[in-house]
Amino acid sequence: MLTITRPTLLLNEKQCKANIRKMVDKAKRFNVDLVPHFKTHQSAEIGEWFRAFGVESITVSSVKMAEFFAKEGWGNITIAFPFNVLEIPAVNRLLERNVAITLFAVNGSTIERLNKELVAPINVFIELDAGYPRSGIPTNSISEITQLAQLIEKGAMTNLYGLYCHPGNTYQTNSVAEIKQIWTEGIKKVNTVKLHLGELGEGLKIRMGDTPGCTLVENFEGVDEIGPGNFVFYDLVMNYLNVCTEDEIAVAVACPVVAKSAERSEIIIHGGAVHFSKDHLFDGKEQKFFGEVVILEEEGWSSIIDGIKLTSLSQEHGVLKATPEIFETIEVGDVLGILPIHSCLTANLMKSYLTFDGQVINHLEKL
């Protein structure tokens, strides 16, 4: 067994690679290009696992992340975030290194700045909002989208590459059928935009980007590329949505037990909001919780233990509420595994991974 003395993010390498293989195989089966989002793992080593499965193009969520992965030899990178014009000099440095860059656009002023200040051409996605009002132009704003497309095509440094949609409302659903319906409607709306663009729309790529849809949907007609990220680890949100099985979750936080309260049937662990974030779910009784407990094993962990949950977080403290029977089986000095609600945030906070063969894998934020 590994020696754990403080909160540690454990990575099941075998399961992680199985998750990658499954998505790569699915993309091939449906003849769509997989451009995986690396924001979940943010690791050079895990990136190499993708490369071993034939992945050549990647997605990131910041210029900083693009710089990191460009240094690791990735030459085709999409920055999936409404572009921040203050980072044009950093993008120029990437272009000077012959990195192919694709950016997101949602307004004309960004395109005007790019065409004035870039040192080499880039591809541009118009980000569309098909029902998840975070960023992107609403798909029914045809005139606005058309004007932006014309401006992009007019520019010497901007090439209109495609239309992008992240149907993030799939994360807020109650059923697999609802996830599939959101995707069906989203694809229809995006393709309607493409049709309305006429000649401008000819040859444009359509990319969809969420893990629930990319995992569950079996009809990719009208989609050219997919860019999911969370699937590399999955997490409890994905499990509760029936997107993944419990066994497919590839990360768990190992947390030492530091105190017990018999009066409250509570167990205190070293593992708080600085390790997990404060993302949460609700159980069947509508009680908020921040993680599920597993027992660590030689090469992984057990199934989720009934009768105990991570119910409260402060900065460093985690409080587990347990049944009397479970409470008696756990001692101060034990190390418990906690499956995270949101693996992307947990990985970003923990900043490194430990595999079961003792390998430390660093995260971008650790370097």
Side-chain angles (χ1 to χ4, degrees), residues 130-286:
Y132 179 56
R134 181 178 66 177
S135 62
I137 305 173
T139 51
N140 59 3
S141 299
I142 299 298
S143 176
E144 182 181 353
I145 296 167
T146 301
Q147 289 176 18
L148 182 58
Q150 291 170 339
L151 186 62
I152 294 168
E153 277 295 87
K154 179 182 175 182
M157 294 297 178
T158 51
N159 170 58
L160 181 58
Y161 178 78
L163 304 173
Y164 176 91
C165 178
H166 176 75
N169 41 340
T170 57
Y171 289 81
Q172 301 156 4
T173 54
N174 295 308
S175 70
V176 168
E178 193 176 349
I179 291 171
K180 292 181 176 181
Q181 182 61 30
I182 287 171
W183 249 63
T184 299
E185 293 173 357
I187 293 169
K188 183 178 180 180
K189 289 177 181 178
V190 175
N191 276 280
T192 297
V193 170
K194 181 179 178 179
L195 186 63
H196 276 290
L197 287 174
E199 290 185 4
L200 281 171
E202 293 178 4
L204 293 188
K205 300 292 186 181
I206 290 179
R207 187 186 299 180
M208 302 287 281
D210 68 311
T211 284
C214 292
T215 300
L216 296 174
V217 167
E218 294 293 321
N219 181 1
F220 288 84
E221 185 177 354
V223 177
D224 301 293
E225 302 175 353
I226 56 174
N230 178 274
F231 74 94
V232 67
F233 296 152
Y234 287 120
D235 51 32
L236 288 176
V237 169
M238 294 297 102
N239 180 236
Y240 271 61
L241 288 173
N242 291 314
V243 172
C244 73
T245 65
E246 182 186 321
D247 292 343
E248 289 177 307
I249 299 174
V251 288
V253 183
C255 296
V257 175
V258 297
K260 296 176 66 178
S261 170
E263 181 181 356
R264 300 190 305 271
S265 291
E266 291 180 349
I267 297 163
I268 309 301
I269 58 170
H270 186 192
V274 297
H275 307 103
F276 292 100
S277 86
K278 281 207 168 183
D279 275 16
H280 57 271
L281 289 170
F282 292 91
D283 64 19
K285 297 179 180 179
E286 292 301 311

Side-chain angles (χ1 to χ4, degrees), residues 4 8 10 251-257 269 276 291-297 300-305 308 310 320 334-340 356:
I4 304 291
T8 302
L10 300 177
V251 288
V253 183
C255 296
V257 175
I269 58 170
F276 292 100
E292 297 272 22
V293 179
V294 294
I295 302 302
L296 299 179
E297 298 173 347
W301 45 79
S302 70
S303 299
I304 291 170
I305 304 301
I308 183 169
L310 180 58
L320 304 174
D334 288 347
V335 177
L336 300 176
I338 310 293
L339 299 184
F356 282 91

